[in-house]
Amino acid sequence: TCEGTVAMKERAETISIEDFGGVGDGRTVNTAAFREAVYRIEHLGRPGGTLLHVPAGVWLTGAFNLTSHMTLYLAQGAVIRAVQDTGNWPLIEPLPSYGRGRELPGGRYMSLIHGSWIHDVIITGENGTIDGQGDVWWNMWRQRTLPFTRPNLIEIMHSRDVLITNVMLLNSPFWNIHPVYCSNVEVRHVTIVAPHDSPNTDGIDPDSSSNVCIEDCYISTGDDLVAIKSGWDEYGIAYARSSSDITIRRVTGSSPFSGIAIGSEMSGGVRNVLVEHVNLYDTGIGIHIKTNAGRGGSITNVTVSDVYMENVRKGVRIAGD
């Protein structure tokens, strides 16, 4: 195990989303409460950090940022649920290693839970739920009415010492967990679920990140369960940040696409990957190493062992194009 790579810290202070006017009735929009709570944590800067407690209830919210030295704690029965107000969803800049929006040119929608240039951040609890209510986004994608790239459920950028554990993620609009340009990331005991026909709902996508450990997770989604990436084409080549030292251990799940994938966005390179003790059911391709014409980059030093597959269309596929 790589448990303990990122420490589960006891915080010096605990505050509740209710302290900021939050109401968990499933109707009240709590975006301002979450943003105000994070602002307080950031600007008071308590030594030892602060835990933001989300009690049982359904907490409807738009996108909000996390900050350093913070734990977002979802109590048993707590649901953070995304609003479906796509028209007012905030836009952010495209990722430099992608050069443009991932799905469409231009900006992209900010993830529901976002963090940039932060460290010592924890998302945990008593298996509370983060629900992206992605069906409105999936339908826009199907109908080709999307103006910009869909939001991820959780995206952490340019950050280090990130721990996500003991939460359930449901119905992400796009990718579920996307650490990009990060180091020291641990994802453990996380359940990720979306319908098998939901488009691009990848489970966990480490992207141009190093020292990432994914363990003891159950993932059943509409796309790759885990996909290691590092940008695409000339943008990823120019940004030149590889994904390296990635451990994937004791992941179980099913997908119409890949169980464990590397690529196809891998222009910055991928190296030093260990995949072991994985169980895959009703899956398209078990282990998939993939690229595309024009990607460039390289994939080196990948070890895969002890993978059990049942009702998988293709066990291992390595396609160099």
Side-chain angles (χ1 to χ4, degrees), residues 212-275:
V212 178
C213 178
I214 299 163
E215 286 185 337
D216 300 298
C217 293
Y218 175 82
I219 308 171
S220 176
T221 61
D223 212 319
D224 301 343
L225 305 184
V226 177
I228 302 168
K229 303 177 183 291
S230 62
W232 70 356
D233 296 356
E234 64 266 38
Y235 312 108
I237 293 168
Y239 198 76
R241 174 138 184 199
S242 67
S243 276
S244 64
D245 304 298
I246 314 278
T247 301
I248 300 162
R249 185 183 283 124
R250 294 185 300 277
V251 169
T252 298
S254 66
S255 160
F257 288 92
S258 303
I260 308 299
I262 300 176
S264 70
E265 306 92 334
M266 39 60 66
S267 300
V270 176
R271 57 190 167 84
N272 304 344
V273 177
L274 172 64
V275 179

Side-chain angles (χ1 to χ4, degrees), residues 17 28-37 60-64 83:
I17 192 64
T28 305
V29 177
N30 295 288
T31 312
F34 277 105
R35 291 178 180 175
E36 187 179 335
L60 201 61
T61 181
F64 63 93
V83 298

Side-chain angles (χ1 to χ4, degrees), residues 6 8 53 68 84 90-91 96 131 133 138 163-164 169 184 211 216 221 254 265 281 297:
V6 182
M8 174 64 80
H53 187 266
S68 296
Q84 292 189 307
L91 285 169
D131 178 2
Q133 290 211 98
W138 307 334
L163 174 61
I164 302 173
L169 309 184
N184 294 351
N211 296 318
D216 300 298
T221 61
S254 66
E265 306 92 334
Y281 303 86

Side-chain angles (χ1 to χ4, degrees), residues 5-318:
T5 304
V6 182
M8 174 64 80
K9 294 187 177 177
E10 293 288 327
R11 299 300 188 188
E13 176 191 43
T14 297
I15 58 177
S16 170
I17 192 64
E18 292 177 315
D19 300 340
F20 300 88
V23 180
D25 60 2
R27 296 187 304 275
T28 305
V29 177
N30 295 288
T31 312
F34 277 105
R35 291 178 180 175
E36 187 179 335
V38 174
Y39 181 89
R40 180 191 179 283
I41 294 168
E42 182 179 0
H43 287 84
L44 281 183
R46 297 276 189 218
T50 300
L51 182 147
L52 175 58
H53 187 266
V54 182
V58 179
W59 305 86
L60 201 61
T61 181
F64 63 93
N65 281 293
L66 302 178
T67 189
S68 296
H69 309 300
M70 171 184 177
T71 297
L72 177 65
Y73 190 95
L74 284 78
Q76 186 174 359
V79 179
I80 294 177
R81 179 169 289 162
V83 298
Q84 292 189 307
D85 180 11
T86 60
N88 290 311
W89 203 275
L91 285 169
I92 57 175
E93 291 291 309
L95 292 167
S97 57
Y98 288 81
R100 40 157 277 187
R102 172 62 178 72
E103 298 186 284
L104 292 158
R108 59 200 186 100
Y109 291 108
M110 176 178 158
S111 58
L112 175 66
I113 298 176
H114 195 83
S116 192
W117 300 103
I118 58 178
H119 62 279
D120 179 21
V121 61
I122 300 170
I123 301 172
T124 189
E126 302 160 69
N127 293 312
T129 299
I130 301 169
D131 178 2
Q133 290 211 98
D135 55 334
V136 64
W137 299 96
W138 307 334
N139 289 332
M140 289 169 68
W141 180 86
R142 290 172 182 132
Q143 294 157 12
R144 304 193 175 186
T145 56
L146 262 179
F148 300 100
T149 298
R150 287 171 282 161
N152 302 302
L153 200 55
I154 299 172
E155 182 176 74
I156 310 292
M157 304 171 54
H158 302 291
S159 299
R160 59 182 167 84
D161 302 325
V162 177
L163 174 61
I164 302 173
T165 183
N166 296 104
V167 289
M168 172 179 259
L169 309 184
L170 291 180
N171 299 327
S172 175
F174 197 49
W175 303 343
N176 277 270
I177 298 176
H178 185 219
V180 57
Y181 321 135
C182 289
S183 62
N184 294 351
V185 178
E186 199 176 319
V187 182
R188 288 189 298 109
H189 300 293
V190 170
T191 299
I192 302 175
V193 177
H196 273 191
D197 65 348
S198 57
N200 309 106
T201 50
D202 296 29
I204 305 168
D205 288 2
D207 198 342
S208 294
S209 292
S210 59
N211 296 318
V212 178
C213 178
I214 299 163
E215 286 185 337
D216 300 298
C217 293
Y218 175 82
I219 308 171
S220 176
T221 61
D223 212 319
D224 301 343
L225 305 184
V226 177
I228 302 168
K229 303 177 183 291
S230 62
W232 70 356
D233 296 356
E234 64 266 38
Y235 312 108
I237 293 168
Y239 198 76
R241 174 138 184 199
S242 67
S243 276
S244 64
D245 304 298
I246 314 278
T247 301
I248 300 162
R249 185 183 283 124
R250 294 185 300 277
V251 169
T252 298
S254 66
S255 160
F257 288 92
S258 303
I260 308 299
I262 300 176
S264 70
E265 306 92 334
M266 39 60 66
S267 300
V270 176
R271 57 190 167 84
N272 304 344
V273 177
L274 172 64
V275 179
E276 62 182 7
H277 302 292
V278 168
N279 294 288
L280 303 172
Y281 303 86
D282 306 320
T283 294
I285 300 171
I287 306 296
H288 197 182
I289 298 177
K290 52 184 173 171
T291 179
N292 215 325
R295 287 281 192 265
S298 63
I299 297 171
T300 59
N301 195 24
V302 177
T303 302
V304 180
S305 75
D306 296 280
V307 178
Y308 176 83
M309 308 186 200
E310 186 174 301
N311 194 27
V312 169
R313 196 172 68 247
K314 190 170 288 184
V316 178
R317 181 173 190 263
I318 303 175

